[in-house]
Amino acid sequence: MSTLVTPFTDRRMAEIVEKVQNGIRLNLEDGIYLYETDDILTLGQLANKANLRKNGKKVYFIENMSLYFTNVCEARCAFCNFRKDQGEEGSYTLSGQEMIDYVEQHIHPGVREFHIVGGHNNHVPFQYYVDSLKALNEKYPNVTLKAYTAAEIDFFTRISGLSIKEVLQELQKAGLQSLTGGGAEILSDEYRKKMRVTKANVDRYLEVHRTAHNLGMKTHTTMLYGSVETYQDRIEHMLQIRELQDETNGFMVFIPLSMQPKSKNANIMRRNSAYEDLKTIAISRLMLDNIDHVKAYFINIGPQLTQVALTFGASDVHGTIVREQISHAAGALTPSGLTRKELIWLVKGAGRIPVERDTFYNEIEVFE
């Protein structure tokens, strides 16, 4: 880098700057150091340079809609406030027609993707999940179905007796085109024990995405940070994703998800700091050199910090969403969706070029 924002960068940071500048991969120790440093300006500038090399000033968004067929879930993850037990007040399981009725009430012209996740409801058969996609695909054949997490796919193998590959193939026949990134949480089995994550373990999460990639599917991947994990846990998570990407080249985007408290009334000390959120986005960009995009998820970090994140390595601001429920069932204080005009304004306000995309990052319209 020809210029550093901070003139007194220490030797360790200077070594990392030189590595990034010369295309040398960062390792575990580098990543941990970047979390520990207070030189956030150099970190941000470094991530910004790395992103500009990949994407220029383009920042991507999609007109999409989040759908949740059921909130009934057998898992009891410590961080989740979305799940319900069967028969509990507020629990629901929608039929395909009921979901179509909901979509008809809330959809807006231009929606090109349904983002579909939900509970691990073992009171319905696997065919229910297949039929759910089939109903949407028949009614909205021009809308891409990005559906289910790797943890849901693993759950489907247990209730169906099918292999991961067979489950994915059945869902593809019903219209599935891409997997969502959720269910990763932190890719550490020790973390999963502490946080009562009884769904897919680390190996199964990675194997689901590996199988999807081998079937020709491009997918998304996440990291839920801000609870009991260490900096080392976070970096090891990124390195496992990076290793699988080296193998399959199937991930399109990495999405750091800032943990939300279980109550909207939770005080500021129960939330991740803006400093931590920006650091995580920047470090993600630097560690994951083989994934094109890092997403700044406004649902969790807010629109204004999302704008700042666009100069800290992020190149995607997600989409219109319409009505997000999972983070808002916890303590998210952000909008549950933004309009197309608002997303364009948000990106332009950061001095970047908004680009409307489809699920697979094909450009639909560039707003110079």
Side-chain angles (χ1 to χ4, degrees):
M1 292 173 62
S2 56
T3 304
L4 291 176
V5 172
T6 49
F8 303 110
T9 298
D10 67 22
R11 180 187 60 78
R12 187 74 181 86
M13 180 64 89
E15 290 173 353
I16 292 174
V17 169
E18 187 174 358
K19 271 189 169 184
V20 173
Q21 191 174 20
N22 293 316
I24 300 171
R25 275 195 157 168
L26 301 188
N27 58 31
L28 175 66
E29 291 73 24
D30 295 329
I32 293 171
Y33 170 82
L34 291 175
Y35 264 118
E36 292 174 343
T37 184
D38 59 2
D39 191 356
I40 192 170
L41 294 181
T42 299
L43 171 59
Q45 186 186 39
L46 195 58
N48 185 49
K49 294 271 189 178
N51 177 52
L52 289 174
R53 281 203 300 262
K54 282 186 176 291
N55 300 299
K57 288 196 169 185
K58 290 181 176 180
V59 173
Y60 295 82
F61 72 92
I62 188 169
E63 291 210 60
N64 66 347
M65 187 174 183
S66 289
L67 305 180
Y68 313 86
F69 272 92
T70 181
N71 63 354
V72 175
C73 190
E74 66 171 14
R76 296 179 178 275
C77 303
F79 48 78
C80 183
N81 209 40
F82 173 76
R83 69 159 308 279
K84 300 286 185 184
D85 288 323
Q86 176 84 338
E88 182 182 350
E89 182 178 357
S91 65
Y92 66 86
T93 301
L94 303 182
S95 67
Q97 186 56 53
E98 287 172 324
M99 181 56 79
I100 288 169
D101 293 342
Y102 170 84
V103 172
E104 289 286 282
Q105 293 173 28
H106 299 285
I107 198 169
H108 57 80
V111 165
R112 62 182 69 255
E113 174 190 279
F114 291 139
H115 176 106
I116 303 166
V117 293
H120 298 194
N121 187 346
N122 57 357
H123 298 276
V124 292
F126 172 55
Q127 192 62 40
Y128 163 81
Y129 297 95
V130 175
D131 291 343
S132 296
L133 295 191
K134 192 177 297 183
L136 283 174
N137 193 45
E138 289 175 356
K139 179 68 176 179
Y140 305 100
N142 297 320
V143 179
T144 299
L145 298 185
K146 182 180 79 177
Y148 305 136
T149 67
E152 286 174 276
I153 300 300
D154 177 66
F155 166 70
F156 297 158
T157 67
R158 289 191 283 108
I159 63 172
S160 68
L162 301 175
S163 67
I164 292 172
K165 182 178 181 180
E166 290 167 336
V167 163
L168 289 170
Q169 288 174 325
E170 286 302 306
L171 293 172
Q172 283 182 306
K173 290 175 190 174
L176 178 69
Q177 292 178 261
S178 180
L179 296 182
T180 70
E185 323 315 356
I186 294 291
L187 293 176
S188 155
D189 286 328
E190 183 62 31
Y191 166 94
R192 291 167 115 73
K193 288 177 186 175
K194 290 178 181 177
M195 296 300 286
R196 304 198 306 271
V197 182
T198 55
K199 52 194 179 184
N201 64 20
V202 174
D203 288 342
R204 290 292 280 183
Y205 180 88
L206 295 171
E207 187 57 32
V208 168
H209 281 281
R210 177 182 288 107
T211 305
H213 298 167
N214 289 337
L215 287 171
M217 210 181 297
K218 296 290 187 178
T219 68
H220 309 68
T221 188
T222 63
M223 179 180 75
L224 181 66
Y225 65 93
S227 58
V228 301
E229 81 281 356
T230 64
Y231 290 154
Q232 180 167 333
D233 289 334
R234 295 182 193 177
I235 299 302
E236 287 179 344
H237 177 112
M238 295 178 199
L239 292 177
Q240 289 180 86
I241 295 299
R242 190 172 79 182
E243 183 177 351
L244 180 55
Q245 181 72 345
D246 279 343
E247 177 187 335
T248 66
N249 194 35
F251 291 121
M252 296 179 288
V253 59
F254 181 75
I255 310 154
L257 297 173
S258 185
M259 177 79 78
Q260 302 299 300
K262 281 198 170 185
S263 169
K264 292 182 184 294
N265 298 320
N267 65 38
I268 191 172
M269 293 183 291
R270 300 288 296 174
R271 300 173 184 275
N272 286 325
S273 68
Y275 189 79
E276 192 78 359
D277 290 334
L278 286 177
K279 267 192 166 186
T280 299
I281 287 168
I283 293 167
S284 300
R285 178 62 287 160
L286 293 172
M287 296 301 300
L288 295 166
D289 53 21
N290 56 359
I291 295 180
D292 286 340
H293 301 286
V294 172
K295 184 175 292 185
Y297 189 48
F298 72 83
I299 289 291
N300 285 12
I301 67 174
Q304 285 81 7
L305 193 61
T306 293
Q307 285 184 306
V308 179
L310 301 183
T311 54
F312 274 70
S315 58
D316 188 283
V317 292
H318 197 57
T320 49
I321 299 175
V322 181
R323 188 172 294 184
E324 196 279 338
Q325 293 182 27
I326 293 178
S327 291
H328 286 85
L333 301 175
T334 56
S336 59
L338 291 175
T339 67
R340 184 169 181 267
K341 285 184 178 180
E342 287 172 327
L343 287 168
I344 293 169
W345 174 88
L346 185 151
V347 174
K348 284 189 172 181
R352 300 291 160 127
I353 301 168
V355 180
E356 184 179 355
R357 63 171 175 85
D358 66 9
T359 299
F360 308 102
Y361 287 85
N362 297 306
E363 296 182 1
I364 305 302
E365 185 172 358
V366 179
F367 300 88
E368 293 283 0

